[in-house]
Amino acid sequence: MSVPPVIPPFRFATVEAGRVVAGRSAEECGAESLYRSAYPSLRNYRFLLGLNLQTIISLVPSSEPIKDLAEFCEMNLITHRHFQVPRFRGLRTSLLHMLSAALPNLIPCCTNTLPPTCSDEVTLTSALTSQLLGELVDMDRYPILIHCVDGARN
C-alpha cells in the first residue's frame, strides 16, 4: 500500500514564518506562522496536517463553507472561520497589503512584494478587514492559513 503524496494547496506560500527565539523549540516557533493559498482541496489535507494549523480563514463568495473543508477542520480540531466576500470586478487593495499597512510588525514582508492595487474577483469592506485583523492579532489562533478561491490576491 502506498502513502498518498503530500501536495500543498495551489499558490501556497508562507507569509510570516514563526520567529526563532532562543530557548524555544522549532515547533513553538512555527506556532506563529501565517500561510496563504487557494482553496484547499481533499488532496491538500495531508499537507495541511503537517502545518499543525490552529485556524483556517476562508475568504470566498459562497455563503456556506464547503463540507469537506468544514469536516476536515472539525476532525482535526482546527478552527474554521468562513467569511463571505462579495464578488467585485475592478481594482482593490489586496488583503495582505491592507494587513501589512495595519500591522507592519506582524506582516513586514508584504509591503515590498505586492502591488498596492490588484484586479480581483472579491473585495473586502472595512468591517470585514477589522474582523480579519481581530483574528490575526490573536496569537492563540496561530498557525493560520488564510485563503481565497484561487489564491492569487490574498
Side-chain angles (χ1 to χ4, degrees):
M1 180 174 194
S2 66
V3 176
V6 177
I7 303 170
F10 186 59
R11 294 189 172 133
F12 175 83
T14 300
V15 175
E16 178 73 15
R19 294 175 204 91
V20 177
V21 178
R24 293 178 60 193
S25 68
E27 291 80 18
E28 291 172 317
C29 293
E32 296 176 352
S33 296
L34 177 63
Y35 307 101
R36 57 162 287 199
S37 75
Y39 208 105
S41 64
L42 290 171
R43 68 180 179 182
N44 307 131
Y45 292 169
R46 187 163 175 251
F47 174 84
L48 296 180
L49 285 174
L51 299 176
N52 298 313
L53 296 170
Q54 291 295 314
T55 307
I56 294 178
I57 298 174
S58 299
L59 303 172
V60 294
S62 64
S63 60
E64 297 293 323
I66 294 198
K67 186 179 177 182
D68 291 336
L69 182 59
E71 288 175 354
F72 168 78
C73 289
E74 185 177 332
M75 285 186 337
N76 293 287
L77 305 175
I78 298 170
T79 301
H80 184 216
R81 302 283 290 139
H82 179 90
F83 294 95
Q84 182 179 10
V85 291
R87 290 191 179 274
F88 177 78
R89 304 239 185 250
L91 293 177
R92 69 142 177 112
T93 304
S94 72
L95 169 63
L96 291 180
H97 212 278
M98 286 190 296
L99 294 176
S100 66
L103 298 170
N105 293 334
L106 179 64
I107 309 174
C109 62
C110 299
T111 54
N112 296 326
T113 60
L114 293 176
T117 57
C118 310
S119 176
D120 203 337
E121 293 186 9
V122 296
T123 189
L124 301 176
T125 63
S126 58
L128 179 55
T129 301
S130 294
Q131 279 185 286
L132 291 169
L133 288 171
E135 298 284 327
L136 294 174
V137 298
D138 183 353
M139 296 310 289
D140 291 337
R141 297 186 187 277
Y142 282 74
I144 295 176
L145 171 69
I146 186 167
H147 74 85
C148 63
V149 175
D150 71 358
R153 304 287 192 267
N154 62 346

